[in-house]
Amino acid sequence: MRSAICRPLRENLPYLLPCAVFWIAGALALALWGKVEVQVFLNGFHTPIQDAFWVSVTAMGGTVFCLCVLLAGSLFSYRYMVSGIVSILCTMALVALLKHAIDAPRPLTVLTQAGVWDSIVLVEGHPLRDTFSFPSGHTAAAFSLFTTLALFASRAWIKTLLFFAALAVAYSRIYLMQHFVSDVLAGSFLATVISVGVYLWARKTRWIDFGRPLVSLRRYGRPGNPE
């Protein structure tokens, strides 16, 4: 039982280790400077040329993008599809529960109350919300999706690249002034933990093998796990 958990975690260190570094670094920054100061500091890197890019990146945490990737992946692996769907459903249900239970104000409200909103640079035309900030839903969805992809990927560099894709979505939420660092840290942590747990369950569950996928490329699967 212990090896069944430890081995998959070791195999996925190229993804999980950068996640841990991100969480620790983010938590230290918040502890040392506070979420308002960190938010204002990161906003200092805002430039008009980046606006369209980060608006596009943030879409990778949206429902449409996640569903399209899951459906495309089902062509290669039903196990991946089931793992991804269960991970995202569980993650987003927990995120929705926490959002409504905590009802934390977003940067628009907090920075206005702190008297620094007038100095903030915004993306023109991008609507802002003022409630349900914690945790970040887009970040949670992105980390759920990219964690699942990384867990099923066979190459270390792909796993690391997928981490940076998820991190980009998290940063886009801060760049667009939709969330604080604390929001994206929480969303990414919850999504990663849930996705790893679902993966450990799905990789050993036999009923998922309910047929052959349309495209059978074994190099996309895990050794010992029929697709």
Side-chain angles (χ1 to χ4, degrees):
M1 178 66 179
R2 183 177 178 181
S3 61
I5 296 176
C6 292
R7 182 180 175 184
L9 294 181
R10 287 196 302 269
E11 292 173 346
N12 288 286
L13 282 179
Y15 181 87
L16 297 176
L17 189 57
C19 284
V21 172
F22 168 53
W23 297 327
I24 293 172
L28 285 174
L30 292 174
L32 291 173
W33 295 290
K35 68 178 185 179
V36 171
E37 289 76 9
V38 172
Q39 192 80 7
V40 173
F41 171 76
L42 292 176
N43 186 253
F45 296 97
H46 187 288
T47 60
I49 198 171
Q50 298 182 68
D51 291 357
F53 174 74
W54 291 114
V55 168
S56 299
V57 168
T58 208
M60 293 194 299
T63 303
V64 173
F65 179 84
C66 292
L67 287 177
C68 288
V69 174
L70 285 171
L71 291 175
S74 68
L75 298 174
F76 301 92
S77 170
Y78 293 137
R79 192 176 298 275
Y80 153 76
M81 178 187 68
V82 172
S83 182
I85 289 175
V86 173
S87 296
I88 288 182
L89 288 178
C90 291
T91 297
M92 298 316 294
L94 179 57
V95 166
L97 180 64
L98 290 173
K99 276 182 176 290
H100 286 82
I102 299 172
D103 192 15
R106 298 206 183 212
L108 170 62
T109 301
V110 176
L111 298 185
T112 298
Q113 293 173 349
V116 297
W117 184 253
D118 291 340
S119 65
I120 295 298
V121 182
L122 300 174
V123 176
E124 186 177 352
H126 191 75
L128 296 173
R129 299 186 62 183
D130 56 3
T131 57
F132 302 130
S133 184
F134 184 91
S136 168
H138 277 71
T139 301
F143 267 84
S144 182
L145 175 63
F146 289 118
T147 299
T148 300
L149 283 169
L151 293 170
F152 280 88
S154 59
R155 297 183 182 276
W157 70 268
I158 295 178
K159 296 177 187 290
T160 303
L161 185 63
L162 289 167
F163 162 75
F164 283 107
L167 181 64
V169 176
Y171 178 73
S172 74
R173 304 307 291 163
I174 300 170
Y175 183 91
L176 297 173
M177 298 304 293
Q178 296 286 5
H179 288 284
F180 291 104
V181 171
S182 54
D183 303 333
V184 302
L185 287 175
S188 63
F189 181 78
L190 291 174
T192 303
V193 171
I194 291 174
S195 298
V196 169
V198 171
Y199 168 76
L200 293 174
W201 161 77
R203 73 194 298 267
K204 296 297 183 182
T205 304
R206 293 300 174 187
W207 67 263
I208 297 177
D209 303 321
F210 48 78
R212 294 184 63 83
L214 295 179
V215 181
S216 182
L217 297 177
R218 294 192 62 81
R219 67 176 178 272
Y220 288 100
R222 282 238 170 242
N225 287 343
E227 298 298 319

